[in-house]
Amino acid sequence: MSMRYRVLLIVLLLAPVLARAQRAESIHELESRRHSEVGSPNAGRADGGGESLEVDGERTEPSSQAVPLAPRAMPLAKRVFGWVPYWISSTQWARFDWSALTAIGYFSLEADSTGVARSVRGWPAPALRDSAHARGVKVILTVTSFGDPSNRALLSDAARRTRLVQTIVDSVVGGGGDGVNIDFEVVPGAQRDNLTAFMRELATTLRAEIPAAEISMAIPAVDWSSAFDAVALTADGVCDYLIMMGYDYHWRNSPTAGPVAPLAGENLNVTRSVDTWLATGMTPSKLLLGVPWYGYEWPTADQERGSAVTGEGRAILYGDARTSAATYGRLFDEPTSTPWYRFTRRDAWYQGWYDDSLSLALKYRLVNDRGLGGIGIWALGYQGDAVDVWQGIHQAFDLPMAIADDGAAHAPHLAVDGSSITFTVAKAMRVRIELHDVLGRRVATIVDGDLGAGTHRASLPTEALRPGVYLVTANTFAPATSLIVRR
């Protein structure tokens, strides 16, 4: 067989798979449609809601004027952006760890093909906005448009683009927001230049009203139609960053069960997607990795990994997936670095694949290794009462903290190397190094005593630890580092 016909055969074999991938609804669109008849918890008042919100023992009363954005008490080394869907209630808002966030994206103002807002879904959610601002977290309005027909009609018409720009600017300014996040999905490749022109016009117009406005876009893990010009979109004066939606590699109607966000191990995976976007020449710090706080559960033909599905999958939230894994037995897929579980119900097999503290920590390591700008989260509120997801962010992205007592001593610098830890102290001091699990519980004391200035090494009890993510801390205030134990 000639090379030409081999290539043709490969294309023909892949065509159905690629077509399915291009037509598949993202979790953003899927969840938006599923909740389309659900009222926003902020609806019912002209100002977007008057519900107060209690966080960390403090009650925030919404006002007609936005609470000013306060300085952050605990800076992060990376951006941490989290979408807050309009259907998430204030009960979940109260569980947010605000110190682990730099911005939230209120999801969403829904644009139609003519450039007007079909629905604002409770924006500006004053209680949420004011609570975020009081803790130094920016509030960003997410604007959505889904599907080829709508995006083609909108982007191909300059007047419609300008109308939407003005709709967005009026909404952000009038709502006391700090910027905008554009989530246009299934954009035709022919609209590539028009999409860039729209973003340039939006950036110029919004920053004329809010000079420090934060502007970003959600982009797909695989840009099948080549609609997103990453270099042009992140040029000076346009987007501050792009959020790659690093999930839905297996989706609701996937032919087989499998990881929602495989780090590696499959032809399409998160690492390859990140590297593909970086290969465009965009600045790494302007790319954020979107991570899933959800998974999918499918009925399957059998219990084997990657089994064929026998029906449509359903989205499962992180809190529910973690509970199911604990009930049925958590499995860890080494090739893709993702957890999963399986169970039977009425003689039928089911598989659930999701991300947990370990798989997320490995993705955060990729963010740091590639020099990316941070992470985006779909979606805040999906964590339930879990705290490990917040602690994982702190472990990966907290900035070092200096000793606060006399200002003279320097906290030990920590570095984990296999089953040992190396640390350096600048002067003689008492050092206490501890190992904590993701729930904050101390599991071991590594060092506790007076040490002289210099570099020291101590062993870590890795053989006695269960697989998972641990936090190594020194004197409780020094820079922390993560330890990942795998079997």
Side-chain angles (χ1 to χ4, degrees):
M1 182 183 295
S2 70
M3 179 60 68
R4 176 182 177 183
Y5 286 107
R6 287 178 183 174
V7 172
L8 178 60
L9 177 60
I10 292 171
V11 170
L12 290 174
L13 290 173
L14 287 178
V17 176
L18 298 182
R20 271 198 306 270
Q22 292 185 69
R23 290 199 308 268
E25 295 173 314
S26 76
I27 189 66
H28 295 203
E29 182 178 3
L30 177 64
E31 289 284 86
S32 293
R33 291 183 177 176
R34 188 167 73 88
H35 291 93
S36 61
E37 302 304 319
V38 176
S40 165
N42 308 294
R45 286 183 47 163
D47 65 357
E51 183 178 12
S52 62
L53 178 63
E54 184 173 338
V55 179
D56 301 330
E58 302 177 15
R59 183 161 292 280
T60 299
E61 297 293 341
S63 62
S64 58
Q65 297 296 319
V67 169
L69 184 66
R72 289 186 60 83
M74 296 177 61
L76 292 169
K78 301 284 186 180
R79 295 183 190 269
V80 180
F81 178 104
W83 281 285
V84 183
Y86 66 83
W87 54 86
I88 296 298
S89 71
S90 59
T91 302
Q92 283 296 340
W93 300 348
R95 293 173 172 170
F96 293 174
D97 180 352
W98 296 100
S99 66
L101 300 167
T102 61
I104 58 172
Y106 190 82
F107 188 95
S108 68
L109 182 153
E110 299 167 4
D112 71 11
S113 61
T114 69
V116 301
R118 183 169 61 247
S119 174
V120 298
R121 296 296 186 181
W123 171 262
L128 178 65
R129 175 200 65 197
D130 292 349
S131 186
H133 278 178
R135 291 157 180 83
V137 177
K138 294 182 178 180
V139 179
I140 309 298
L141 173 62
T142 295
V143 177
T144 54
S145 177
F146 300 121
D148 181 309
S150 179
N151 286 321
R152 185 184 302 273
L154 171 64
L155 294 172
S156 62
D157 189 310
R160 294 184 178 192
R161 297 199 303 265
T162 296
R163 185 180 300 126
L164 181 55
V165 165
Q166 198 57 55
T167 297
I168 293 170
V169 172
D170 290 345
S171 297
V172 173
V173 174
D178 305 297
V180 65
N181 168 250
I182 298 298
D183 184 10
F184 289 0
E185 300 185 23
V186 193
V187 177
Q191 299 305 313
R192 177 184 175 96
D193 291 342
N194 287 335
L195 177 62
T196 301
F198 166 76
M199 290 306 299
R200 285 201 184 104
E201 182 179 357
L202 174 60
T204 299
T205 308
L206 181 57
R207 289 195 176 114
E209 298 289 336
I210 306 175
E214 188 166 297
I215 299 175
S216 64
M217 292 190 75
I219 60 174
V222 180
D223 186 13
W224 297 105
S225 61
S226 298
F228 296 84
D229 187 340
V231 174
L233 289 169
T234 53
D236 291 341
V238 187
C239 292
D240 294 290
Y241 52 90
L242 307 178
I243 307 173
M244 188 198 91
M245 296 180 286
Y247 35 79
D248 276 349
Y249 289 82
H250 284 80
W251 61 99
R252 179 182 59 166
N253 292 314
S254 288
T256 61
V260 173
L263 185 63
E266 297 196 347
N267 183 45
L268 295 179
N269 60 67
V270 170
T271 302
R272 181 178 179 183
S273 292
V274 167
D275 289 343
T276 299
W277 280 111
L278 294 181
T280 65
M282 70 175 298
T283 303
S285 62
K286 291 195 173 185
L287 181 65
L288 274 58
L289 173 60
V291 297
W293 283 10
Y294 75 96
Y296 281 106
E297 193 174 276
W298 297 270
T300 57
D302 54 45
Q303 65 176 321
E304 296 303 317
R305 174 198 184 278
S307 172
V309 304
T310 59
E312 189 174 90
R314 70 180 185 94
I316 47 174
L317 309 188
Y318 176 81
D320 296 332
R322 190 179 66 157
T323 299
S324 294
T327 301
Y328 301 119
R330 174 187 177 277
L331 303 169
F332 195 78
D333 188 56
E334 290 287 345
T336 62
S337 296
T338 50
W340 64 295
Y341 58 88
R342 58 193 173 194
F343 63 95
T344 57
R345 180 187 298 147
R346 293 189 291 274
D347 297 325
W349 278 102
Y350 292 81
Q351 291 186 19
W353 291 74
Y354 67 109
D355 271 77
D356 66 3
S357 58
L358 173 56
S359 62
L360 290 170
L362 295 172
K363 290 177 174 65
Y364 300 159
R365 178 176 289 182
L366 175 67
V367 168
N368 287 327
D369 288 348
R370 295 295 194 274
L372 305 187
I375 62 171
I377 300 164
W378 182 268
L380 300 184
Y382 286 9
Q383 80 287 345
D385 59 1
V387 297
D388 55 344
V389 287
W390 304 111
Q391 292 169 339
I393 292 171
H394 285 299
Q395 291 171 18
F397 306 129
D398 271 359
L399 284 170
M401 299 173 63
I403 293 178
D405 52 359
D406 60 8
H410 295 278
H413 173 74
L414 307 176
V416 173
D417 180 16
S419 61
S420 65
I421 182 170
T422 301
F423 56 97
T424 302
V425 293
K427 58 176 290 185
M429 62 184 296
R430 185 171 185 82
V431 175
R432 182 177 176 85
I433 299 178
E434 298 176 339
L435 196 63
H436 296 258
D437 65 15
V438 293
L439 298 179
R441 298 172 298 198
R442 185 176 70 244
V443 297
T445 299
I446 310 303
V447 176
D448 186 13
D450 296 323
L451 296 178
T455 300
H456 306 266
R457 180 182 292 271
S459 297
L460 292 168
T462 52
E463 292 300 322
L465 299 174
R466 294 180 178 180
V469 180
Y470 297 85
L471 182 66
V472 186
T473 62
N475 293 13
T476 71
F477 48 72
T481 188
S482 61
L483 167 67
I484 299 175
V485 177
R486 304 174 69 178
R487 293 285 185 266

